[in-house]
Amino acid sequence: MKRIIVFIVVVFSVILPLRCFANIAEGISGSCKWVIDDNGVLTVSPSKGKKGYLEKWEDWRSGNSPWYKYRSQIIHAKFEKQIYTQTCYAMFRDCQSLETVDFGQLNIDETQSMEYMFYGCKSLKEIDMSTLNTYNVVYMNHMFTNCTSIKSIDLSTFETFKVVTLQYMFYNCESLEFVDVSRFWTIWVQETDYMFFNCKKLKNINLHFWNLREDLNMESMFGNCVSLQNIDMKYFATDCLGTMKNAFRNCHSLESLNLTAFDGYAGTDFDGLFIGCESLKKFYALNEDPYVWTIREEMFKTIKDPGKIILYVPRTSVELYKNAPGWSIFDVRAVEDEPNESADNNENKQSENPEGKTTDNPDDKPAESPITGIDAITTGGKSSVVYTLSGKRLVAPRKGVNIINGKKYFVK
């Protein structure tokens, strides 16, 4: 009997420690293996050799990530050696305990979808995505939806030349205080609805050089951003605007907005555009000709007393705006007469990030410089973004003062 008892004790003394250190789950995806250890660390590595390929885009897109069943137990994720994937679709969706991810060894060069990548990651506090090459990504919608704990997201390294969807990207990121999307190239984007909806702590958004040319849906894009004070849209451009329904609804702290780029002809729905924007004090419309962008009066029908809002325009165009449909409901004044600090200085100040680096220019970040006299423009192979002082985008520089890639130049 004693021998039996001793045998049982020995067996349990071996089995119990092994059970305590057992992995939560493990599996195979493509030529990769994944393991979730007892500390909640998800490790993805090659099954053999130095490279591994996660399962194909079609297989993943039709369902969920390979580790989705154990999503609530993942606290940290990392990729070892060299891991390649054709999709990031829902990679960490509903991983509510996920706090950090190390992307250092993940290659997404062939990835088209980053949809729902961190959807519902309520514990995610920080993320470094600077090592990811997003050149071929087409879909970014819902990427950070319901990431309610994250405070800062720096996407300044993202290349978005092919992106068409951004809707719900930061939806309900209620703790978000800083986001850098200033370098986004948005020429093919069609959907930005609810992109920043309910980002309650976000005070500034830099969309300085965004250029939107498709039939754009901006419904509730900034809705319920109750702390939002400034949206840097100085050179923001839209050639075809579909709907702006509730775009700025309940932006209680918003004091000013640049309307220069909004094409009222193409817009079809402005319902609730400025409901709850009781702090609005001034607009800017810097085109010399008010009929270049004809603004429909229904855009402002929810503003109780538009006559109290100052509309700043070029001095030579004051009388034109006072008599132009849509614009005439405001207190029209010359932008050159704006007291204290100019609209330019205010916007440049607000466009700085917490580290003090400006993020206005999608090509580089030059320091403010005086006007320089030159005969020709060269950009070292980079495409130039050219505007007049009034904010009108040009195909090429013209004689006089031009703003090229965020710097002032005088062309003879």
Side-chain angles (χ1 to χ4, degrees), residues 62-129:
S62 62
N64 295 299
S65 61
W67 42 83
Y68 183 76
K69 182 179 178 180
Y70 308 96
R71 60 194 180 279
S72 64
Q73 295 167 280
I74 300 173
I75 299 173
H76 176 71
K78 61 180 180 178
F79 299 85
E80 292 185 341
K81 297 184 179 179
Q82 297 181 49
I83 303 298
Y84 294 79
T85 182
Q86 291 184 353
T87 183
C88 292
Y89 178 85
M91 181 175 279
F92 301 105
R93 179 166 62 181
D94 292 328
C95 293
Q96 296 188 17
S97 300
L98 183 68
E99 296 181 2
T100 58
V101 182
D102 182 355
F103 286 113
Q105 301 304 316
L106 180 65
N107 185 303
I108 67 167
D109 289 359
E110 298 181 8
T111 297
Q112 291 189 344
S113 175
M114 298 179 79
E115 302 164 88
Y116 298 91
M117 190 171 181
F118 299 102
Y119 184 101
C121 293
K122 296 182 178 180
S123 300
L124 189 66
K125 294 180 171 61
E126 58 181 335
I127 194 72
D128 181 359
M129 306 180 76

Side-chain angles (χ1 to χ4, degrees), residues 206 208 230-235 256-258 284 286 342-352 360:
N206 188 343
H208 200 108
N230 178 70
I231 307 173
D232 190 339
M233 305 174 80
K234 187 175 180 181
Y235 300 127
S256 65
L257 193 65
N258 194 324
Y284 297 91
L286 302 180
S342 68
D344 287 357
N345 288 337
N346 183 53
E347 287 181 338
N348 286 336
K349 182 188 297 182
Q350 296 291 355
S351 67
E352 294 178 357
D360 289 345

